[in-house]
mmCIF file of all heavy atoms in Angstrom:
data_model
loop_
_atom_site.group_PDB
_atom_site.id
_atom_site.type_symbol
_atom_site.label_atom_id
_atom_site.label_comp_id
_atom_site.label_asym_id
_atom_site.label_seq_id
_atom_site.Cartn_x
_atom_site.Cartn_y
_atom_site.Cartn_z
ATOM 1 N N GLN A 247 -0.723 -10.127 4.827
ATOM 2 C CA GLN A 247 -2.106 -9.894 5.222
ATOM 3 C C GLN A 247 -2.741 -8.866 4.279
ATOM 4 O O GLN A 247 -2.325 -7.704 4.232
ATOM 5 C CB GLN A 247 -2.160 -9.398 6.662
ATOM 6 C CG GLN A 247 -1.592 -10.393 7.665
ATOM 7 C CD GLN A 247 -1.660 -9.887 9.092
ATOM 8 O OE1 GLN A 247 -2.473 -9.027 9.414
ATOM 9 N NE2 GLN A 247 -0.794 -10.408 9.941
ATOM 10 N N SER A 248 -3.769 -9.319 3.530
ATOM 11 C CA SER A 248 -4.351 -8.465 2.501
ATOM 12 C C SER A 248 -4.991 -7.208 3.076
ATOM 13 O O SER A 248 -4.881 -6.124 2.476
ATOM 14 C CB SER A 248 -5.396 -9.249 1.697
ATOM 15 O OG SER A 248 -6.410 -9.766 2.557
ATOM 16 N N LEU A 249 -5.642 -7.313 4.230
ATOM 17 C CA LEU A 249 -6.256 -6.129 4.831
ATOM 18 C C LEU A 249 -5.202 -5.119 5.258
ATOM 19 O O LEU A 249 -5.393 -3.904 5.122
ATOM 20 C CB LEU A 249 -7.121 -6.533 6.032
ATOM 21 C CG LEU A 249 -8.457 -7.201 5.705
ATOM 22 C CD1 LEU A 249 -9.182 -7.606 6.987
ATOM 23 C CD2 LEU A 249 -9.335 -6.279 4.872
ATOM 24 N N GLN A 250 -4.081 -5.622 5.780
ATOM 25 C CA GLN A 250 -2.986 -4.740 6.177
ATOM 26 C C GLN A 250 -2.435 -4.012 4.957
ATOM 27 O O GLN A 250 -2.189 -2.798 4.988
ATOM 28 C CB GLN A 250 -1.876 -5.558 6.844
ATOM 29 C CG GLN A 250 -0.663 -4.763 7.280
ATOM 30 C CD GLN A 250 -0.911 -3.969 8.542
ATOM 31 O OE1 GLN A 250 -1.681 -4.376 9.394
ATOM 32 N NE2 GLN A 250 -0.252 -2.823 8.671
ATOM 33 N N ARG A 251 -2.245 -4.739 3.844
ATOM 34 C CA ARG A 251 -1.729 -4.123 2.624
ATOM 35 C C ARG A 251 -2.701 -3.075 2.087
ATOM 36 O O ARG A 251 -2.303 -1.988 1.687
ATOM 37 C CB ARG A 251 -1.471 -5.179 1.536
ATOM 38 C CG ARG A 251 -0.332 -6.127 1.822
ATOM 39 C CD ARG A 251 0.176 -6.791 0.534
ATOM 40 N NE ARG A 251 -0.887 -7.272 -0.325
ATOM 41 C CZ ARG A 251 -1.475 -8.460 -0.180
ATOM 42 N NH1 ARG A 251 -1.105 -9.268 0.804
ATOM 43 N NH2 ARG A 251 -2.418 -8.851 -1.023
ATOM 44 N N MET A 252 -3.990 -3.437 2.091
ATOM 45 C CA MET A 252 -4.982 -2.512 1.555
ATOM 46 C C MET A 252 -5.040 -1.228 2.373
ATOM 47 O O MET A 252 -5.073 -0.127 1.825
ATOM 48 C CB MET A 252 -6.370 -3.173 1.539
ATOM 49 C CG MET A 252 -7.472 -2.274 0.971
ATOM 50 S SD MET A 252 -9.084 -3.107 0.869
ATOM 51 C CE MET A 252 -9.446 -3.313 2.629
ATOM 52 N N GLY A 253 -5.041 -1.372 3.703
ATOM 53 C CA GLY A 253 -5.093 -0.202 4.563
ATOM 54 C C GLY A 253 -3.881 0.689 4.390
ATOM 55 O O GLY A 253 -4.004 1.924 4.307
ATOM 56 N N THR A 254 -2.712 0.075 4.307
ATOM 57 C CA THR A 254 -1.486 0.846 4.125
ATOM 58 C C THR A 254 -1.468 1.536 2.775
ATOM 59 O O THR A 254 -1.102 2.709 2.663
ATOM 60 C CB THR A 254 -0.249 -0.074 4.250
ATOM 61 O OG1 THR A 254 -0.256 -0.696 5.535
ATOM 62 C CG2 THR A 254 1.033 0.728 4.095
ATOM 63 N N ARG A 255 -1.896 0.793 1.727
ATOM 64 C CA ARG A 255 -1.912 1.374 0.384
ATOM 65 C C ARG A 255 -2.856 2.569 0.303
ATOM 66 O O ARG A 255 -2.502 3.620 -0.246
ATOM 67 C CB ARG A 255 -2.333 0.318 -0.639
ATOM 68 C CG ARG A 255 -2.344 0.836 -2.080
ATOM 69 C CD ARG A 255 -2.790 -0.223 -3.062
ATOM 70 N NE ARG A 255 -4.190 -0.563 -2.903
ATOM 71 C CZ ARG A 255 -4.646 -1.727 -2.456
ATOM 72 N NH1 ARG A 255 -3.784 -2.689 -2.125
ATOM 73 N NH2 ARG A 255 -5.935 -1.959 -2.344
ATOM 74 N N MET A 256 -4.048 2.441 0.873
ATOM 75 C CA MET A 256 -5.023 3.531 0.837
ATOM 76 C C MET A 256 -4.526 4.749 1.596
ATOM 77 O O MET A 256 -4.687 5.895 1.165
ATOM 78 C CB MET A 256 -6.359 3.052 1.400
ATOM 79 C CG MET A 256 -7.056 2.010 0.544
ATOM 80 S SD MET A 256 -8.595 1.392 1.291
ATOM 81 C CE MET A 256 -9.567 2.906 1.316
ATOM 82 N N PHE A 257 -3.894 4.484 2.739
ATOM 83 C CA PHE A 257 -3.372 5.589 3.546
ATOM 84 C C PHE A 257 -2.268 6.333 2.804
ATOM 85 O O PHE A 257 -2.271 7.562 2.713
ATOM 86 C CB PHE A 257 -2.850 5.046 4.878
ATOM 87 C CG PHE A 257 -2.093 6.048 5.692
ATOM 88 C CD1 PHE A 257 -2.724 7.178 6.209
ATOM 89 C CD2 PHE A 257 -0.728 5.875 5.942
ATOM 90 C CE1 PHE A 257 -2.023 8.113 6.963
ATOM 91 C CE2 PHE A 257 -0.029 6.797 6.696
ATOM 92 C CZ PHE A 257 -0.679 7.921 7.203
ATOM 93 N N LEU A 258 -1.324 5.592 2.233
ATOM 94 C CA LEU A 258 -0.200 6.229 1.551
ATOM 95 C C LEU A 258 -0.631 6.915 0.255
ATOM 96 O O LEU A 258 -0.053 7.939 -0.134
ATOM 97 C CB LEU A 258 0.882 5.185 1.248
ATOM 98 C CG LEU A 258 1.558 4.548 2.465
ATOM 99 C CD1 LEU A 258 2.574 3.504 2.016
ATOM 100 C CD2 LEU A 258 2.232 5.607 3.319
ATOM 101 N N ALA A 259 -1.649 6.350 -0.411
ATOM 102 C CA ALA A 259 -2.093 6.920 -1.682
ATOM 103 C C ALA A 259 -2.666 8.327 -1.518
ATOM 104 O O ALA A 259 -2.722 9.087 -2.495
ATOM 105 C CB ALA A 259 -3.138 6.011 -2.324
ATOM 106 N N HIS A 260 -3.065 8.673 -0.314
ATOM 107 C CA HIS A 260 -3.637 9.999 -0.071
ATOM 108 C C HIS A 260 -2.565 11.049 0.237
ATOM 109 O O HIS A 260 -2.890 12.216 0.449
ATOM 110 C CB HIS A 260 -4.647 9.935 1.083
ATOM 111 C CG HIS A 260 -5.978 9.357 0.687
ATOM 112 N ND1 HIS A 260 -6.203 8.002 0.633
ATOM 113 C CD2 HIS A 260 -7.131 9.961 0.293
ATOM 114 C CE1 HIS A 260 -7.451 7.798 0.245
ATOM 115 N NE2 HIS A 260 -8.037 8.959 0.028
ATOM 116 N N GLN A 261 -1.297 10.635 0.260
ATOM 117 C CA GLN A 261 -0.211 11.578 0.522
ATOM 118 C C GLN A 261 0.285 12.160 -0.805
ATOM 119 O O GLN A 261 0.568 11.420 -1.744
ATOM 120 C CB GLN A 261 0.944 10.877 1.262
ATOM 121 C CG GLN A 261 0.510 10.080 2.480
ATOM 122 C CD GLN A 261 -0.298 10.899 3.469
ATOM 123 O OE1 GLN A 261 0.083 12.034 3.800
ATOM 124 N NE2 GLN A 261 -1.383 10.342 3.974
ATOM 125 N N GLU A 262 0.376 13.458 -0.867
ATOM 126 C CA GLU A 262 0.733 14.126 -2.118
ATOM 127 C C GLU A 262 2.136 13.766 -2.610
ATOM 128 O O GLU A 262 2.393 13.763 -3.819
ATOM 129 C CB GLU A 262 0.624 15.639 -1.956
ATOM 130 C CG GLU A 262 -0.813 16.134 -1.737
ATOM 131 C CD GLU A 262 -0.886 17.639 -1.662
ATOM 132 O OE1 GLU A 262 0.190 18.284 -1.711
ATOM 133 O OE2 GLU A 262 -2.005 18.174 -1.558
ATOM 134 N N ASP A 263 3.044 13.490 -1.687
ATOM 135 C CA ASP A 263 4.436 13.250 -2.081
ATOM 136 C C ASP A 263 4.799 11.771 -2.122
ATOM 137 O O ASP A 263 5.975 11.420 -2.236
ATOM 138 C CB ASP A 263 5.385 13.990 -1.136
ATOM 139 C CG ASP A 263 5.217 13.539 0.312
ATOM 140 O OD1 ASP A 263 4.136 13.023 0.660
ATOM 141 O OD2 ASP A 263 6.169 13.718 1.100
ATOM 142 N N ILE A 264 3.799 10.886 -2.028
ATOM 143 C CA ILE A 264 4.069 9.447 -2.040
ATOM 144 C C ILE A 264 3.214 8.772 -3.103
ATOM 145 O O ILE A 264 2.005 9.003 -3.193
ATOM 146 C CB ILE A 264 3.779 8.807 -0.665
ATOM 147 C CG1 ILE A 264 4.732 9.374 0.394
ATOM 148 C CG2 ILE A 264 3.923 7.281 -0.736
ATOM 149 C CD1 ILE A 264 4.467 8.865 1.795
ATOM 150 N N GLU A 265 3.838 7.920 -3.905
ATOM 151 C CA GLU A 265 3.126 7.154 -4.925
ATOM 152 C C GLU A 265 3.364 5.664 -4.684
ATOM 153 O O GLU A 265 4.512 5.217 -4.596
ATOM 154 C CB GLU A 265 3.622 7.524 -6.325
ATOM 155 C CG GLU A 265 2.927 6.741 -7.438
ATOM 156 C CD GLU A 265 3.493 7.036 -8.812
ATOM 157 O OE1 GLU A 265 4.472 7.815 -8.895
ATOM 158 O OE2 GLU A 265 2.971 6.491 -9.798
ATOM 159 N N VAL A 266 2.297 4.904 -4.547
ATOM 160 C CA VAL A 266 2.393 3.453 -4.371
ATOM 161 C C VAL A 266 2.436 2.817 -5.752
ATOM 162 O O VAL A 266 1.481 2.933 -6.529
ATOM 163 C CB VAL A 266 1.193 2.910 -3.567
ATOM 164 C CG1 VAL A 266 1.320 1.387 -3.412
ATOM 165 C CG2 VAL A 266 1.102 3.582 -2.201
ATOM 166 N N ILE A 267 3.532 2.128 -6.062
ATOM 167 C CA ILE A 267 3.690 1.586 -7.417
ATOM 168 C C ILE A 267 3.621 0.059 -7.457
ATOM 169 O O ILE A 267 3.706 -0.538 -8.532
ATOM 170 C CB ILE A 267 5.019 2.052 -8.052
ATOM 171 C CG1 ILE A 267 6.211 1.572 -7.220
ATOM 172 C CG2 ILE A 267 5.022 3.558 -8.207
ATOM 173 C CD1 ILE A 267 7.548 1.904 -7.874
ATOM 174 N N GLY A 268 3.468 -0.584 -6.296
ATOM 175 C CA GLY A 268 3.383 -2.040 -6.293
ATOM 176 C C GLY A 268 3.168 -2.589 -4.903
ATOM 177 O O GLY A 268 3.328 -1.875 -3.915
ATOM 178 N N GLU A 269 2.774 -3.866 -4.835
ATOM 179 C CA GLU A 269 2.620 -4.538 -3.553
ATOM 180 C C GLU A 269 2.827 -6.028 -3.759
ATOM 181 O O GLU A 269 2.718 -6.534 -4.886
ATOM 182 C CB GLU A 269 1.250 -4.264 -2.942
ATOM 183 C CG GLU A 269 0.074 -4.748 -3.772
ATOM 184 C CD GLU A 269 -1.248 -4.459 -3.082
ATOM 185 O OE1 GLU A 269 -1.716 -3.302 -3.165
ATOM 186 O OE2 GLU A 269 -1.810 -5.388 -2.466
ATOM 187 N N ALA A 270 3.112 -6.733 -2.673
ATOM 188 C CA ALA A 270 3.365 -8.166 -2.757
ATOM 189 C C ALA A 270 2.889 -8.840 -1.476
ATOM 190 O O ALA A 270 2.834 -8.214 -0.418
ATOM 191 C CB ALA A 270 4.854 -8.435 -2.967
ATOM 192 N N SER A 271 2.540 -10.121 -1.581
ATOM 193 C CA SER A 271 2.027 -10.865 -0.439
ATOM 194 C C SER A 271 3.055 -11.806 0.172
ATOM 195 O O SER A 271 2.792 -12.452 1.179
ATOM 196 C CB SER A 271 0.784 -11.661 -0.847
ATOM 197 O OG SER A 271 1.104 -12.589 -1.876
ATOM 198 N N ASN A 272 4.228 -11.912 -0.440
ATOM 199 C CA ASN A 272 5.284 -12.756 0.130
ATOM 200 C C ASN A 272 6.646 -12.228 -0.310
ATOM 201 O O ASN A 272 6.742 -11.355 -1.176
ATOM 202 C CB ASN A 272 5.110 -14.223 -0.277
ATOM 203 C CG ASN A 272 5.107 -14.424 -1.783
ATOM 204 O OD1 ASN A 272 6.070 -14.089 -2.471
ATOM 205 N ND2 ASN A 272 4.014 -14.964 -2.323
ATOM 206 N N GLY A 273 7.686 -12.775 0.281
ATOM 207 C CA GLY A 273 9.031 -12.282 0.028
ATOM 208 C C GLY A 273 9.485 -12.434 -1.405
ATOM 209 O O GLY A 273 10.130 -11.535 -1.966
ATOM 210 N N ALA A 274 9.154 -13.567 -2.025
ATOM 211 C CA ALA A 274 9.575 -13.800 -3.420
ATOM 212 C C ALA A 274 8.957 -12.762 -4.342
ATOM 213 O O ALA A 274 9.622 -12.233 -5.242
ATOM 214 C CB ALA A 274 9.189 -15.217 -3.848
ATOM 215 N N GLN A 275 7.669 -12.479 -4.134
ATOM 216 C CA GLN A 275 7.009 -11.454 -4.948
ATOM 217 C C GLN A 275 7.622 -10.078 -4.699
ATOM 218 O O GLN A 275 7.757 -9.274 -5.620
ATOM 219 C CB GLN A 275 5.517 -11.414 -4.631
ATOM 220 C CG GLN A 275 4.727 -12.609 -5.127
ATOM 221 C CD GLN A 275 3.247 -12.494 -4.783
ATOM 222 O OE1 GLN A 275 2.794 -11.476 -4.272
ATOM 223 N NE2 GLN A 275 2.497 -13.561 -5.060
#
């Protein structure tokens, strides 16, 4: 779910000790 990924990515990106380095929409990716 793209909205779920976007919300999670934005939330985590604001944490000083966490860096989001990638995302995927299915298991193979």
Side-chain angles (χ1 to χ4, degrees):
Q247 299 180 23
S248 57
L249 286 177
Q250 179 76 31
R251 291 200 315 275
M252 181 177 67
T254 301
R255 181 181 68 248
M256 293 177 63
F257 171 65
L258 295 178
H260 282 83
Q261 310 306 314
E262 293 183 356
D263 60 337
I264 296 176
E265 179 184 3
V266 180
I267 61 175
E269 61 179 80
S271 61
N272 58 59
Q275 289 180 6

